[in-house]
Amino acid sequence: MPYDPNNVFAKILRGEIPCTKIYEDDFTLAFPDIAPQAPTHLLVIPKGSYIDYADFAAHATDAEILGFSRALGKIVEQAGITQAGYRLIANSGEHGGQEVPHFHVHLVGGHALGRMLAKE
Ligand code: AMP
C-alpha cells in the first residue's frame, strides 16, 4: 500500500493542520496527542513519508534514522520522565491499531501505566 499524502500527520508537516511543536529539527517533529491517554502523551514523527516502522527502517537514510533516534531520546529527556519511567509505542497496521498511516512513536508517562497489553 502506498503512502497516503493526505493523512493527518502529513497535513501537520505541511502546516495545513496546526500543532503545538514540542520539538523540531531537520528530521523530526514532536507535538502533543490531541486525545491524551496519560498525563504525558506526545507524538514523535519523522518528517519523511514513511507508513510505519518497517517502512522507515527499510527506506529512510542513515541520517534520518540516526537523527530520529537521537531526537526521540532528547524528547524523552525534555519531557522529564526518565527517572519515573515511560513507554514508547509504535502501532502498525490493522492488528497494531494504527489510525494514522504515517510512522509515529507515542511517548506516554506521568503515572504508572500498568500492564503492557490489556488482558483479553
Ligand atoms: P495511532 O492509533 O497509533 O495511529 O495513533 C494516532 C494518534 O494520533 C491518536 O492517539 C490520535 O489521538 C492522534 N491524533 C489524531 N489527530 C491528531 C492531531 N490533529 N493532532 C495531534 N494528535 C492527533
Side-chain angles (χ1 to χ4, degrees):
M1 198 174 56
Y3 179 83
D4 171 13
N6 288 318
N7 76 74
V8 65
F9 296 165
K11 289 181 178 174
I12 285 175
L13 285 166
R14 290 196 296 269
E16 295 165 13
I17 291 179
C19 76
T20 301
K21 290 179 185 176
I22 297 288
Y23 177 95
E24 183 173 21
D25 66 21
D26 288 350
F27 302 117
T28 308
L29 180 67
F31 49 89
D33 194 291
I34 204 168
Q37 296 186 38
T40 297
H41 188 170
L42 302 179
L43 295 169
V44 186
I45 68 173
K47 288 188 170 177
S49 301
Y50 305 105
I51 296 171
D52 61 9
Y53 183 75
D55 186 23
F56 178 69
H59 300 116
T61 64
D62 290 357
E64 283 177 288
I65 292 171
L66 182 64
F68 182 80
S69 182
R70 292 257 195 250
L72 182 53
K74 282 185 206 164
I75 292 157
V76 172
E77 290 280 1
Q78 200 175 289
I81 53 177
T82 50
Q83 280 283 336
Y86 58 92
R87 187 171 292 162
L88 301 176
I89 302 168
N91 297 319
S92 177
E94 189 184 341
H95 285 187
Q98 183 178 13
E99 291 169 12
V100 180
H102 179 110
F103 171 48
H104 54 279
V105 176
H106 296 257
L107 166 59
V108 286
H111 65 196
L113 296 165
R115 295 173 58 87
M116 186 174 72
L117 296 175
K119 267 186 172 172
E120 287 298 323

